[in-house]
Amino acid sequence: MRSSLLRPATPRALLRRPSQPPRRLLPLLAHPSQQPNPPPCRPHSTTTTSSVNETEISHFSSLASSWWDPHGPSRPLHLMNPHRHDFIRSCLSSSPTSPPYSSLTYLDIGCGGGIFAESAARLPTTLSITGIDASPVIISVAKSHARRDPSLAQKLSYLNSPIESLVLPPVDIVTCFEVIEHVDYPSQFLGELIKFVRPGGWVVMSTIARTWTSWVTTNLVAEDILKMVPKGTHDWDKYLHEYELREWFSKENSREGKKVWGDARVMGVVFVPGCGWKEVKGSEKLGNYFFGVQRLV
C-alpha cells in the first residue's frame, strides 16, 4: 500500500467501508504548490501555502469552552496526557545524546487549550515551553486557564500562530499530539516542524493509523454510537500509518545526504471504556499510536 502523506485529504462518505487507503497522488517530497488546487497563502506566511484547514479550526474552536472539562468532549485528551509524558521519557532515556532531562525546552504545536503544555510547565525538569495553535479562540482559553496558576508564567507562553509563520529558536522537544491528522498537506507541515528541533532533540507526535479498525473505533463508535466526541472530529482519510512517517524521515535523510534523523520509536495505545488508554504492543498498526524520532545532527 502506498503512502498518502503528501496529498490533501479528500472527504469521503462516512459510512463507506475504507477497504483501501487513499492513493498518493505525487512523489513523497513534492511541494504542495505542485498539488492540484493548493490552498491560498495565509497572511504573513513565509511559505506559499498553509497546512491549516479552516474547517478543522472552526470545529475545534467550537469546543473551546469545554476544553478543560475532564468529563467533556476533550476527556480522551485528558486521559491520554500521562502517556504523552511516559513516551517522552522513554524517548529521552533511549539515547545517550538526548538533551539533559533537568532543563528541557519544548514547543507544543497545536497545543489546544494547553492540557499538555500546562502539565509540562509544572515539571521541575522543564525550563520553558511555548504552545502554539492556529485558533485564536482556543489560545484565549489556554491563556485564561494558565492565569489561574501564576507560577506557570515563568515557564509557559502561548502564541496564536500557524507553524508557517512561527519565528522561534530550536528547542529540545517538539511535540505534536493529535494534530497531524487534522492538517492539510502533512508533509509541508512536517517540513516546517523539524526546523524547530535542535541537534540531539526529539520530535514526539501522536496520531492514528488509517485502518478499518480505526474507522470503526473513531468514526463509528466514538462519534456515532457512544458520542464520546462530537461528530466530525475525525477524518479517516487524513490518518497516517506509522510506516508512512518512518518513510518521510528516511527520505529526509536521503535528501540531506546523511543521517540527520535516527530510528523512530513507536508506542501503540488502545482506549478501554471505563479504564482509559492502555499501552498495547503492536496496536500502532491498528489505531492510536505515539511516534518519536531524534535529530542526530
Side-chain angles (χ1 to χ4, degrees):
M1 291 186 288
R2 295 186 294 173
S3 166
S4 65
L5 191 57
L6 279 202
R7 56 116 179 106
T10 302
R12 299 184 179 185
L14 177 64
L15 293 179
R16 66 94 174 87
R17 184 181 189 276
S19 56
Q20 295 292 333
R23 295 183 298 109
R24 191 178 72 207
L25 299 182
L26 289 173
L28 189 62
L29 292 178
H31 188 274
S33 63
Q34 297 174 272
Q35 298 280 0
N37 302 317
C41 176
R42 290 177 62 88
H44 313 300
S45 175
T46 58
T47 59
T48 57
T49 57
S50 172
S51 57
V52 173
N53 182 300
E54 297 295 347
T55 300
E56 297 272 10
I57 295 298
S58 177
H59 173 79
F60 286 102
S61 293
S62 70
L63 306 177
S65 63
S66 61
W67 206 274
W68 281 96
D69 179 359
H71 302 288
S74 296
R75 177 172 174 76
L77 302 182
H78 286 270
L79 295 175
M80 179 77 82
N81 207 44
H83 295 281
R84 296 168 173 173
H85 290 286
D86 289 344
F87 186 69
I88 289 171
R89 283 192 291 267
S90 73
C91 288
L92 292 172
S93 64
S94 70
S95 171
T97 60
S98 290
Y101 190 60
S102 59
S103 56
L104 296 172
T105 56
Y106 290 83
L107 171 61
D108 187 22
I109 298 172
C111 63
I115 295 172
F116 172 77
E118 278 203 20
S119 62
R122 289 190 172 91
L123 295 176
T125 54
T126 298
L127 183 64
S128 68
I129 179 165
T130 300
I132 72 165
D133 201 283
S135 168
V137 177
I138 294 178
I139 281 292
S140 177
V141 168
K143 290 181 176 179
S144 176
H145 194 272
R147 282 195 292 268
R148 300 181 183 183
D149 184 351
S151 68
L152 296 175
Q154 296 180 350
K155 294 183 178 182
L156 175 62
S157 61
Y158 289 113
L159 296 172
N160 173 216
S161 173
I163 192 170
E164 293 86 358
S165 303
L166 191 63
V167 179
L168 285 176
V171 298
D172 296 319
I173 302 173
V174 173
T175 56
C176 182
F177 296 125
E178 289 78 49
V179 173
I180 197 169
E181 69 271 21
H182 298 290
V183 305
D184 289 334
Y185 304 105
S187 179
Q188 173 185 308
F189 178 79
L190 286 174
E192 295 291 329
L193 180 152
I194 61 175
K195 297 176 183 178
F196 298 98
V197 187
R198 64 174 50 154
W202 286 80
V203 172
V204 179
M205 310 167 59
S206 59
T207 188
I208 311 172
R210 194 176 60 259
T211 64
W212 171 237
T213 301
S214 67
W215 180 84
V216 170
T217 56
T218 62
N219 293 92
L220 185 61
V221 176
E223 292 188 16
D224 293 342
I225 297 177
L226 297 182
K227 302 188 186 302
M228 293 171 56
V229 294
K231 192 172 181 64
T233 297
H234 301 104
D235 183 346
W236 182 87
D237 282 336
K238 290 184 173 182
Y239 293 179
L240 297 170
H241 295 290
E242 54 91 15
Y243 70 76
E244 292 177 302
L245 291 172
R246 290 180 192 269
E247 182 183 70
W248 191 93
F249 282 96
S250 176
K251 293 204 173 187
E252 187 66 16
N253 283 339
S254 297
R255 190 182 70 82
E256 293 282 353
K258 56 185 176 181
K259 192 165 185 178
V260 176
W261 298 96
D263 297 331
R265 296 176 59 85
V266 296
M267 182 179 83
V269 289
V270 173
F271 187 79
V272 180
C275 298
W277 295 96
K278 300 295 180 183
E279 179 183 353
V280 177
K281 188 175 181 180
S283 64
E284 64 273 8
K285 299 184 183 302
L286 299 175
N288 292 77
Y289 65 93
F290 289 91
F291 180 95
V293 61
Q294 186 184 25
R295 186 180 191 111
L296 302 178
V297 294

